[in-house]
Structure formats: structure tokens, C-alpha cells
Amino acid sequence: MVCLSAKALLLAAGCLPQLVHSAGLDTSAVALGKLYFGTATDNPELTDTAYVTQLNNTDDFGQITPGNSQKWDATEPSQNTFTFTNGDVIADLAEANGQKLRCHNLVWYNQLPSWVSSGTWTNATLLAAMKNHITNVVTHYKGQCYAWDVVNEGLADDGTYRDNIFYQYIGEAYIPIAFATAAAADPDVKLYYNDYNIEYAGAKSTAAQNIVKLIKSYGAKIDGVGLQGHFIVGSTPSQSSQASNMAAFAALGVEVAITELDIRMTLPSTDALLAQQKTDYAGTVAACAQTSACVGVTIWDWTDKYSWVPSTFSGQGAACPWDENLVKKPAYTGILTALGGTATSTSTASGSSTTTSTSTSTGSSSVAQQYGQCGGSGWTGATTCVSGTTCTYFNDWYSQCL
């Protein structure tokens, strides 16, 4: 069968081979009480039939984030001329699959069209252009998005404000004004501040917490903080440090989410690096699992075939839970166990292995796996942990096998 239209390829189930579904990453996350486990995607890979088949697997992916097609350069390439074609393709795909859509992003210093980045501005004219952009984009996607990343990467690594064009002409006020403008365009969508290197305690995380306070001090709405999670194998923050950091944001009255998770390594990939990557993924996802305010996890595309890492970090890659051949890596099992599921390998007729998974977080097994829930108010699942782990109390609502 030949499918010529990209959009038809996405929406016509008959054009796609059907997967045998089992309890996967999203199924396990939802069973654990999270809203979703999801992935970023981008328009060029949507012509890859095998890729789209897995992207449509809602047992693994209950949410999709457009990697590039909703950014400023893609949606308003010239002033007050808007185009939503590519973003709509991904939004339509999510809707057809019943997947949530995390919309990304409205105000960022990067991927700006030249009319913004090289324009001649005053405080008033840039403010008007920013508000016009936000209003038009959010209005177009009103009712379709679970959340918007309103301001992306507004901080430098030392915790000071990034010296971008919005800060230069508007000052720190551009951040709460952007949030207020987005809220006016769609009062129901969740509004996030999103950044990297705020996943653990330090100057930048403290500064991000101060951004939450700043937005609230203006009387504007902010619902969540996105912790990007672009990590390096063997250097990933510990589970406890990430959970403690999430709690610091939650104490400000916002939810959190891991929004762009990938864990890269120096190539070539080895069994030892893959094993460490599995541990690192498990620890990060488990930090979200144990934090009631953490609503979900998004990986920054699911396969190494389309990862952004190799073109950005010379000599590094293999950052995703699936390899370039769309085969699950050990990291997949690490994520699954952190969400309370289990994975088993079975032989096929050709002698190759295929991984299937089952969820144990709702009590389908009498023994909870490592990183699985084992107690808490209202918990009806397993309370005995697999050998080598202990049921560890976190709060009245959650205990976990560690």
C-alpha cells in the first residue's frame, strides 16, 4: 500500500501497520496517577511510516509535543503573517490518537525570525509585537493544548536573566506580561515556564523559583514549571536531588513536569554506557513518580534516529530510549520499572527478541518492582517489594520500592 499524503499518512489507520499493544510507558504512568508519558516529534519524521506507527502507540505515548512547528519562526515568519500548517499536522495527529498536546513555545530568544531578532524596537513596539504573537498563536490553538511553554529559557546559566531582545527592551516584566497575555487568549490552558539546568538545587533553580514568584506578584497566572532534563550519562542528578528540587517548586503552588528528557553519551555506545543510561533514566523518572506535583514526563523524541543531540554536541548521541533502528534500549525498561511496570523478553520465530511490558502499579502483581509504588493512602496494589529493594515512605500518599 502506498500513502502519498503526509497528513493522510498520519490520520488514515489503514496506511499504518498496527502494533500489538501492551501496558507501556503511558499506561504505567497513568496507572501511577500521572497525566501522561509523552514524546516530542517533528514534521520531517512524519513521512517515516515505521516511526509514525510507534508514535501512534498510545500505550507508550499519551502526549505529544511539537518540537519546532509552533515556535516563533515557524508561526510568524513575517510580522503579523501567521502560518500554522505544520503545527496543525501534529495537533491533528494528537487529536486523532486521543493524545494530549503540550504546546511549545511562545517566547524564546532562539529560533526567532529576523524581523524580530534584527528589528528596530522600542519598549512599546516590541511589547505590542510580543503580545500580538502570543494572542494569535494561543487563540489558534485554543482548546487543543494541555499546556503552553509560555517563556522558554529566560535565564542564563548563572541564574541571571538571559540578555535576550525581550529583556533588553522590556526588562523582566516581559515574562509576567507574556503569561498574562497567554491567559487572556486561553483562560483554560496550563501555562508553564520551561528551562534547563533547573532540575537540581542551585542558582538557576532558585532564579526559576523567583520567576514563579515574579509572575504571581504581577497577578498573572502560572500553572507549572517545565524541567527540561537534557542530561549526560553518568552525570545525571540523583533521584533524591531531583525530587527535592521538584518539591521546592511545588511549594510555590505550581505543578512540574519533565518536558524534554534525553540522556546523551560520548560515542560509541557500549553495554556499560547503556546500563548506566538505564539507571539514569530510571532515577529521573522515579523522581517524578514519587512527586505528586509532577504530572508527567516527555522525552525529546523517542528514537536516536531523529535525536537533536548529534548535530548539537559533537561526538555525543544515543540519547533516546529507542536506538536508530527503532529498537528499545535498556533505558526503556528503566523508565518502565520506574513507573511501576515490568518488561519481559520473548523470542520470535526468527530468533530475535521483542520486549513486552505489563503494569504492576495497580496491583496486578503481588510484588512491586523496583521504583514501583508500594503504599500510600488509598493504595490497593502490592505492598511487598521485589528482592533487594525496600518499601520507602515519602509521604502519606506515596511509598516506593527503592
Side-chain angles (χ1 to χ4, degrees):
M1 180 179 291
V2 178
C3 304
L4 298 178
S5 164
K7 190 167 183 179
L9 175 68
L10 299 176
L11 301 180
C15 292
L16 300 173
Q18 298 300 302
L19 294 178
V20 177
H21 293 293
S22 57
L25 304 180
D26 185 69
T27 305
S28 297
V30 171
L32 196 62
K34 304 303 171 185
L35 293 182
Y36 60 80
F37 188 96
T39 182
T41 191
D42 206 358
N43 296 80
E45 52 256 44
L46 298 182
T47 57
D48 182 336
T49 306
Y51 172 91
V52 173
T53 300
Q54 172 58 28
L55 186 65
N56 288 346
N57 180 353
T58 55
D59 287 311
D60 276 330
F61 305 132
Q63 174 265 117
I64 295 178
T65 300
N68 289 292
S69 57
Q70 292 178 323
K71 292 174 179 174
W72 199 315
D73 60 349
T75 54
E76 194 183 3
S78 58
Q79 189 165 14
N80 211 33
T81 299
F82 291 88
T83 176
F84 301 106
T85 302
N86 285 343
D88 286 352
V89 168
I90 295 175
D92 290 345
L93 171 63
E95 182 180 14
N97 287 336
Q99 295 162 315
K100 289 181 172 60
L101 185 71
R102 282 201 87 258
C103 292
H104 174 83
N105 59 57
L106 295 171
V107 181
W108 187 30
Y109 74 93
N110 208 348
Q111 290 183 237
L112 291 170
S114 60
W115 70 266
V116 178
S117 59
S118 301
T120 301
W121 299 107
T122 66
N123 174 283
T125 58
L126 184 57
L127 194 57
M130 183 186 78
K131 292 173 71 173
N132 183 63
H133 176 78
I134 293 170
T135 299
N136 276 274
V137 176
V138 174
T139 299
H140 178 82
Y141 288 105
K142 184 176 182 179
Q144 299 180 64
C145 307
Y146 167 75
W148 265 109
D149 291 329
V150 178
V151 174
N152 194 53
E153 300 175 2
L155 294 169
D157 285 341
D158 63 359
T160 60
Y161 285 111
R162 188 180 291 276
D163 189 27
N164 61 39
I165 194 166
F166 305 102
Y167 185 73
Q168 291 167 10
Y169 285 93
I170 305 171
E172 67 176 16
Y174 87 88
I175 298 175
I177 291 170
F179 276 80
T181 305
D186 186 351
D188 297 324
V189 71
K190 299 277 190 178
L191 303 181
Y192 271 64
Y193 175 76
N194 191 55
D195 215 328
Y196 65 93
N197 287 352
I198 62 169
E199 304 89 352
Y200 47 89
K204 195 169 184 180
S205 177
T206 299
Q209 293 165 43
N210 288 335
I211 282 178
V212 175
K213 296 174 185 176
L214 173 72
I215 294 166
K216 290 190 171 190
S217 75
Y218 272 72
K221 170 187 170 182
I222 178 171
D223 299 288
V225 174
L227 315 172
Q228 290 185 11
H230 294 299
F231 294 141
I232 301 172
V233 168
S235 299
T236 301
S238 68
Q239 176 184 335
S240 60
S241 69
Q242 291 185 67
S244 176
N245 187 65
M246 290 176 185
F249 284 105
L252 300 177
V254 294
E255 66 186 38
V256 296
I258 301 170
T259 54
E260 303 184 19
L261 180 62
D262 51 28
I263 307 180
R264 63 187 185 270
M265 63 182 69
T266 299
L267 300 174
S269 173
T270 65
D271 289 345
L273 286 170
L274 290 172
Q276 183 62 52
Q277 185 184 56
K278 174 183 177 181
T279 298
D280 293 344
Y281 263 107
T284 295
V285 174
C288 179
Q290 76 178 69
T291 304
S292 59
C294 185
V295 300
V297 176
T298 306
I299 49 179
W300 207 241
D301 224 322
W302 55 272
T303 167
D304 294 336
K305 185 176 182 179
Y306 297 113
S307 171
W308 70 296
V309 169
S311 63
T312 305
F313 300 96
S314 179
Q316 297 186 330
C320 300
W322 280 257
D323 68 17
E324 291 184 351
N325 296 315
L326 314 187
V327 175
K328 294 173 183 174
K329 294 154 63 175
Y332 179 94
T333 304
I335 296 169
L336 188 66
T337 55
L339 294 170
T342 58
T344 58
S345 293
T346 56
S347 296
T348 64
S350 63
S352 61
S353 286
T354 180
T355 301
T356 59
S357 53
T358 58
S359 173
T360 60
S361 53
T362 57
S364 59
S365 170
S366 60
V367 178
Q369 301 302 304
Q370 185 179 21
Y371 305 119
Q373 186 172 358
C374 55
S377 178
W379 175 248
T380 59
T383 56
T384 301
C385 291
V386 67
S387 177
T389 64
T390 301
C391 190
T392 303
Y393 173 90
F394 286 99
N395 54 49
D396 290 344
W397 297 273
Y398 191 80
S399 296
Q400 184 181 31
C401 293
L402 298 173

